[in-house]
Amino acid sequence: SSASISLTSGIDSTYDSYVFKFIDIHPATDNVRFQFNFSTDSGSNYNVTKTSTSFRAYHAENDSATELSYETGSDLAQGTGFQMLDLSSVGNGNDETFSGIMSVFNPSSTTFVKHFIATGEQNAANNYSHNGFVAGYANTTSAINAVQFKMTSGNIDDGIIKLYGVK
C-alpha cells in the first residue's frame, strides 16, 4: 500500500524504449483514477509538459450500455499535470482493478521529444468494462530519468508494476 510508486533508477540510455506493465492495480479508495508523470531531474519534480489524446470503449456488466468515445477530459494540452492511464474511475471492490501496458520511446534523447502510448483494461467503479487508449509526447529535450505512478486520491492498495527495457 503506497501513496505513489516512483521509479527513479533503471530508465537511462541502456535501452531505446521502456515498457511498463500494470497488473491488477487496485486502489484503497473507491472511485479514483490511476495516473503518471515524468521527471527529468531523477524524481525531484514530476512536472514534465505533455500533450496527449485519449479514447475508450466500454460495455456495462448488465449489458445496458456500450460506447466508443473520445475522452477530452483525459487529454493534456501542454500540461504539466499527471496523465490519466485509466479512462474511468477504478473502484476498490475486489473485482475492480486496472491492468495495462505503457511504452515510452527514447526517453534518454536530449534532441527529441519523448513519445508514449498506453492501453489498459479495467472493471470500473460503475461495473463497466473499459478498454482505454492514451498516447502523446513529453515535450522536453531533456532526458526522462524517472516516472511516478499514483491514484488521484488515496493509496495504491495492491498491484504489480513491471519495467522492461527494449533494444
Side-chain angles (χ1 to χ4, degrees):
S1 184
S2 299
S4 63
I5 306 295
S6 299
L7 300 171
T8 58
S9 64
I11 302 172
D12 54 33
S13 61
T14 303
Y15 297 101
D16 299 329
S17 62
Y18 287 84
V19 174
F20 298 88
K21 290 190 177 183
F22 313 106
I23 302 161
D24 290 332
I25 303 298
H26 187 262
T29 305
D30 193 34
N31 206 25
V32 293
R33 308 276 304 272
F34 185 57
Q35 56 189 351
F36 78 94
N37 209 334
F38 296 121
S39 175
T40 59
D41 58 9
S42 302
S44 294
N45 296 287
Y46 292 96
N47 59 359
V48 172
T49 301
K50 293 168 294 306
T51 293
S52 62
T53 187
S54 308
F55 72 95
R56 71 175 174 181
Y58 69 76
H59 193 121
E61 191 173 277
N62 65 6
D63 204 26
S64 64
T66 61
E67 185 174 284
L68 175 65
S69 60
Y70 171 54
E71 294 300 308
T72 58
S74 296
D75 289 356
L76 293 174
Q78 293 299 290
T80 59
F82 277 70
Q83 172 64 54
M84 301 299 168
L85 280 168
D86 59 354
L87 299 181
S88 180
S89 296
V90 181
N92 66 349
N94 286 339
D95 66 343
E96 298 170 331
T97 63
F98 171 80
S99 294
I101 188 167
M102 179 174 75
S103 298
V104 180
F105 302 95
N106 205 10
S108 295
S109 173
T110 55
T111 304
F112 301 111
V113 300
K114 287 61 171 172
H115 296 273
F116 61 87
I117 187 167
T119 186
E121 172 58 29
Q122 71 191 75
N123 185 6
N126 60 2
N127 292 319
Y128 282 44
S129 173
H130 291 263
N131 186 212
F133 302 86
V134 178
Y137 65 94
N139 193 7
T140 180
T141 55
S142 298
I144 289 175
N145 54 22
V147 180
Q148 185 177 78
F149 301 98
K150 66 181 186 175
M151 306 310 282
T152 51
S153 179
N155 286 353
I156 297 171
D157 178 55
D158 199 2
I160 298 168
I161 299 174
K162 293 185 177 188
L163 171 64
Y164 300 89
V166 180
K167 279 214 177 237

